Every structure is written in C-alpha cells, then in structure tokens.
Amino acid sequence: MKKHILILAFLAFGIAAQAQIPAEVDDILGKCAEKMHNATGIEMDMNLSVKAVVSFNGTIKMYAKGEKSLAKMRMKVLGRDIRTETGNDGSQVWVYRAAIEEGDKDSVFIYKPSGKKKGEYDLDFELNKKYKKAKIKEKNERYEITFTEPKDKEMPKKTTMVVNKSDYSFYQMGVKDGIMGFTMTATKIKYGVSDGVFVLDAKKYPNAVMVKRDKEFGK
C-alpha cells in the first residue's frame, strides 16, 4: 500500500512540475505564431537595444516567408556605423559583413543551410517548450510572458515575450543572461512580401568579396 502511495505522490509531483507553463501561455504563443507566420510573407521593422560590456542601439528590418528569410541590421557601436545582412532563399544562406577597420573589405559568406537553427535575433514562438517556468501578466493592452529555468544550458536564463492582445501580433522580445541582454521591439508590421526579396543579388554588394563556405558562418 505504501509503495502505491509513493508512486501516486511521484506522479502528482511530475504533473505539477509540468504545469508550471500555464495553458494560457501555450494558447497565446500558438496564436502569435499563426499570426506572424503569414502565408503571404511578413515584413517587420524593429528597434534593437543591446546591453553588454559595450551597449548600443540599432534597427532591424526582417522579412520572412515560409523557409525564406532576410534580416538587415544597422547599429552604431563606439561611434561606428555597422551594417549586416543575413538571407536565406531556402537553398543557400548568405551573410554580409561590412568592413569595419581601415583596410578591411566588405565580405559576403555563402553556405548551405544546416537545419532550422535560429539566428541570434530570430523570433522563437516555442519558448513554452524550452523553459520550465512561465509567468504571465497583462500590461498596456498586451500580454507579457516571462520564461525562466531553461531546459537547455545554451538558452538564456530569462526571456520575455510581449504580445498585443488585440490581434496576437508580436510586440517585443527581451533576453537576459548575466550582464548581457537585448530587447527587440516591433515598430511596424506589414503582410505580403515578394519572393524577389529573398534572392541573393551580388550587385547589391559591389565592393564585397564573395566567400563560399562548407560550414555555417562563424563556425
């Protein structure tokens, strides 16, 4: 009898532990993902704020349509304007890095996509599957969801997702891990993107050196 009681107690504890992600969070993220994964494509402007050893602000313009994507980032670090672009047309990925130091050259790294690994600033609508805990509150007509206790040590210790209540569209994502963190805030969302946006056009980078790689950029 005691053995059965212990088994039931263990099962009850396991169910309680799994329930630390409220069902409402699953529902909100699911609706947000559906809204942002529009079949016609989505164009989004965002402000970026990064806090680390060196803090800086910038902007990101993102395009997404199915498995295709393009992200253009502009930022100012220590008085220098830095521009990067990352695109994926479904069959190849390219990363543009503008020259920073005098004498450097602009570069475009081209490689085959490896799975569906997300980039550093990509939106993740499955945070409910990657964290053990989540708390939700309503603020300024938005849902603010804070995720803690990541299941994977590579995930940030805390991530906050803010979703508009009116239509479940994305508003903001904030990441905090030690002294490092960043916040992305949507300023404009538009639906409908031409397939031509996701085509690598070497003419856009007239001064860049094209570098083909077997592995992902930075690996």
Side-chain angles (χ1 to χ4, degrees):
M1 184 65 177
K2 185 181 292 186
K3 180 179 180 180
H4 292 302
I5 293 175
L6 289 173
I7 292 174
L8 290 173
F10 179 76
L11 290 173
F13 175 79
I15 292 172
Q18 293 177 1
Q20 293 189 58
I21 300 292
E24 185 181 11
V25 170
D26 296 338
D27 181 58
I28 292 171
L29 288 186
K31 290 179 178 178
C32 185
E34 184 178 356
K35 181 75 176 181
M36 302 304 290
H37 292 157
N38 190 286
T40 65
I42 187 168
E43 175 184 333
M44 181 162 54
D45 293 338
M46 295 189 291
N47 287 332
L48 171 67
S49 176
V50 177
K51 294 183 178 181
V53 177
V54 176
S55 299
F56 59 88
N57 297 318
T59 61
I60 303 176
K61 191 173 189 68
M62 297 180 67
Y63 303 85
K65 189 175 185 180
E67 62 180 358
K68 300 176 182 179
S69 64
L70 177 65
K72 301 179 179 182
M73 184 159 56
R74 306 287 187 273
M75 50 194 167
K76 178 168 282 190
V77 182
L78 299 177
R80 295 179 177 176
D81 291 318
I82 298 176
R83 181 165 66 100
T84 66
E85 293 185 16
T86 302
N88 185 343
D89 63 7
S91 61
Q92 67 178 359
V93 176
W94 64 94
V95 179
Y96 167 75
R97 292 287 185 269
I100 299 177
E101 300 290 342
E102 186 177 349
D104 288 349
K105 294 184 178 180
D106 295 351
S107 301
V108 177
F109 300 88
I110 305 170
Y111 57 91
K112 296 291 183 182
S114 55
K116 295 184 178 181
K117 183 179 178 182
K118 291 184 175 294
E120 186 177 4
Y121 300 107
D122 285 352
L123 302 181
D124 190 341
F125 299 107
E126 295 186 341
L127 294 170
N128 52 328
K129 299 178 182 179
K130 298 175 181 178
Y131 285 86
K132 297 177 181 179
K133 290 184 178 181
K135 291 183 178 180
I136 182 172
K137 65 180 180 180
E138 296 184 20
K139 183 179 179 181
N140 299 328
E141 297 300 315
R142 298 185 177 99
Y143 297 110
E144 184 177 300
I145 309 169
T146 301
F147 296 89
T148 55
E149 295 192 18
K151 296 179 180 179
D152 189 325
K153 64 181 181 179
E154 292 186 2
M155 290 291 292
K157 292 182 179 179
K158 183 172 77 172
T159 298
T160 301
M161 174 81 80
V162 183
V163 177
N164 291 310
K165 288 182 63 178
S166 59
D167 60 358
Y168 292 96
S169 60
F170 168 82
Y171 174 69
Q172 188 179 76
M173 175 179 283
V175 169
K176 179 69 175 176
D177 197 357
I179 64 171
M180 300 184 66
F182 68 84
T183 302
M184 299 186 301
T185 305
T187 57
K188 179 183 177 182
I189 296 177
K190 179 182 176 182
Y191 299 99
V193 180
S194 169
D195 289 333
V197 170
F198 307 102
V199 176
L200 172 59
D201 183 1
K203 294 179 181 178
K204 291 170 55 180
Y205 319 101
N207 300 318
V209 177
M210 297 289 172
V211 182
K212 292 190 174 182
R213 299 170 55 95
D214 295 329
K215 297 182 179 180
E216 180 180 348
F217 173 76
K219 298 295 184 181

